[in-house]
Amino acid sequence: MSQAIRPITLPLPYRIGSVNCYLVQGTGGYVLVDTGASNKRSELEREMDNAGCGPGDLKLIVLTHGDFDHTGNAAYLRQKYGAPLAMHRDDAGMAEKGDIFWNRKKGNVIFSKVAAVLFRFSQSRRFSPDVYLEDGQVLTQYGWDATVVHIPGHSRGSIGIFTAGGDFFCGDLIENDKKPKLNSIMDDPIAAGASVDRMAVLGIVTVYPGHGSPFLMEAFLKNRR
């Protein structure tokens, strides 16, 4: 069955760009992939309302990784819509402790300190997942014919979602700023390369990134070669 995908693009705080959420209409309800940052919560709610997704209609909230711009509204949406929060166990501590560097290598010390101040989760935005997603897990029980794919690189617990129709939600592994490429912020470049190699053999048609417009997987692989 065809499952409609509604991209929702939200501005980030401090004018540092935008982030994508995706509302998918499945069988008997909706699934939301990522939740944006909390600064534009009302815009996200309006988009969901316009799509016909109200409390009780949202069956699952999938978080591709633990960064603030993807999980900022998760706790709030769980309370309002009654939907469970699902993410990989390896990134769960980021949401629980409000620290995007919880499981990451330290990298640039100055950036780490600045980001910890600007992007730290307040207590009200912290949460523990209701569902721990693992590689190969199917989501049909939530009305979505899709499978979880573990794609570490941007973070240790980053996941993608591969649908039966050939769509792939890649979180922040790949971004599309002018052209699709590996995200400029990468915790483990070697793991990221292995994750892309794995994506290359799945039969993906269209990729839906966390930042930038959807793109054809074939075009990305051609540019990569």
Side-chain angles (χ1 to χ4, degrees), residues 137-177:
Q137 185 169 344
V138 295
L139 302 177
T140 50
Q141 71 183 95
Y142 303 101
W144 196 13
D145 193 359
T147 304
V148 177
V149 183
H150 186 207
I151 48 170
H154 180 69
S155 70
R156 191 179 305 169
S158 287
I159 58 170
I161 305 297
F162 182 43
T163 76
D167 300 312
F168 192 89
F169 300 83
C170 73
D172 280 2
L173 179 66
I174 305 171
E175 60 186 358
N176 189 15
D177 179 15

Side-chain angles (χ1 to χ4, degrees), residues 122-137:
S122 66
Q123 191 65 44
S124 65
R125 295 199 295 272
R126 299 179 193 180
F127 62 88
S128 293
D130 303 294
V131 179
Y132 291 106
L133 297 176
E134 297 186 5
D135 187 62
Q137 185 169 344

Side-chain angles (χ1 to χ4, degrees), residues 11-183:
L12 290 171
Y14 311 112
R15 298 182 179 180
I16 59 174
S18 62
V19 65
N20 297 325
C21 311
Y22 297 99
L23 186 64
V24 181
Q25 186 171 9
T27 304
Y30 295 83
V31 175
L32 181 67
V33 179
D34 291 327
T35 70
S38 60
N39 62 306
K40 293 297 180 180
R41 179 175 294 164
S42 60
E43 291 187 20
L44 174 60
E45 290 182 280
R46 183 168 60 251
E47 289 284 350
M48 293 175 68
D49 288 343
N50 289 341
C53 180
D57 298 320
L58 191 61
K59 304 306 178 184
L60 186 69
I61 299 170
V62 174
L63 304 167
T64 59
H65 60 291
D67 283 342
F68 84 100
D69 55 333
H70 294 256
T71 64
N73 294 306
Y76 171 83
L77 293 175
R78 174 170 62 183
Q79 181 177 13
K80 176 177 178 178
Y81 291 88
L85 302 177
M87 66 189 303
H88 195 279
R89 188 179 300 274
D90 284 350
D91 272 14
M94 298 164 74
E96 292 168 344
K97 300 179 184 296
D99 180 5
I100 63 173
F101 295 100
W102 171 75
N103 68 348
R104 282 186 165 117
K105 300 171 185 177
K106 296 303 179 184
N108 186 291
V109 175
I110 295 177
F111 174 75
S112 298
K113 290 183 178 179
V114 171
V117 173
L118 295 180
F119 306 138
R120 190 169 182 84
F121 293 71
S122 66
Q123 191 65 44
S124 65
R125 295 199 295 272
R126 299 179 193 180
F127 62 88
S128 293
D130 303 294
V131 179
Y132 291 106
L133 297 176
E134 297 186 5
D135 187 62
Q137 185 169 344
V138 295
L139 302 177
T140 50
Q141 71 183 95
Y142 303 101
W144 196 13
D145 193 359
T147 304
V148 177
V149 183
H150 186 207
I151 48 170
H154 180 69
S155 70
R156 191 179 305 169
S158 287
I159 58 170
I161 305 297
F162 182 43
T163 76
D167 300 312
F168 192 89
F169 300 83
C170 73
D172 280 2
L173 179 66
I174 305 171
E175 60 186 358
N176 189 15
D177 179 15
K178 297 181 181 177
K179 67 176 183 179
K181 61 182 181 180
L182 280 176
N183 195 294

